[in-house]
Amino acid sequence: MQEPTFLILASLADGPKHGYGITQEVAELSEGTVTLRAGTLYGALDRLVEQGLITVDRQEVVDGRLRRYYQLTDVGAGRLAERARRLRKHAEAAESRLRTRPNAAFGLTATAFGASA
């Protein structure tokens, strides 16, 4: 699962959102490092609907334009949870190895990860 897909699913974990809401939530979750353009977002949303990871919750017309709200399915929530577990496990393994690294490069010391020096 690519990072944008993970973030889209994570943005929907707390409830349905429309496209613009998803892009805002993804930017917030990623601390501004992931920006979704409309074409990328809606292509990803269509793919995620086809895969059964999200579904259209409802549609409404706002200012003459159709606004579609998406929600996470149970299958999508399961995939998101599994991916989050895997990412956490990989991050913990990387941090563990970094703690054993000599303290010279990049200021990465044991204290950078909450361990006492």
Side-chain angles (χ1 to χ4, degrees):
M1 180 181 299
Q2 298 295 318
E3 184 178 27
T5 300
F6 176 83
L7 292 169
I8 290 169
L9 295 178
S11 77
L12 294 170
D14 62 352
K17 290 181 183 63
H18 55 76
Y20 182 73
I22 294 169
T23 61
Q24 294 303 302
E25 186 80 9
V26 165
E28 183 179 318
L29 289 169
S30 71
E31 298 178 331
T33 61
V34 176
T35 303
L36 297 174
R37 298 190 192 288
T40 302
L41 172 67
Y42 290 104
L45 292 173
D46 289 344
R47 179 178 43 80
L48 293 169
V49 167
E50 287 176 18
Q51 293 173 351
L53 303 180
I54 66 172
T55 187
V56 175
D57 178 61
R58 67 185 185 279
Q59 300 181 109
E60 62 186 21
V61 177
V62 177
D63 296 328
R65 296 182 64 182
L66 184 64
R67 180 177 288 173
R68 186 172 288 152
Y69 288 78
Y70 297 88
Q71 70 178 10
L72 192 62
T73 64
D74 289 343
V75 172
R79 288 266 184 90
L80 177 62
E82 176 57 30
R83 184 62 175 154
R85 279 190 292 274
R86 288 180 62 207
L87 288 171
R88 188 177 313 107
K89 181 179 175 183
H90 295 163
E92 288 169 357
E95 289 174 349
S96 174
R97 284 168 176 76
L98 284 168
R99 280 193 286 277
T100 64
R101 177 181 165 75
N103 295 335
F106 306 112
L108 295 175
T109 64
T111 57
F113 298 104
S116 57

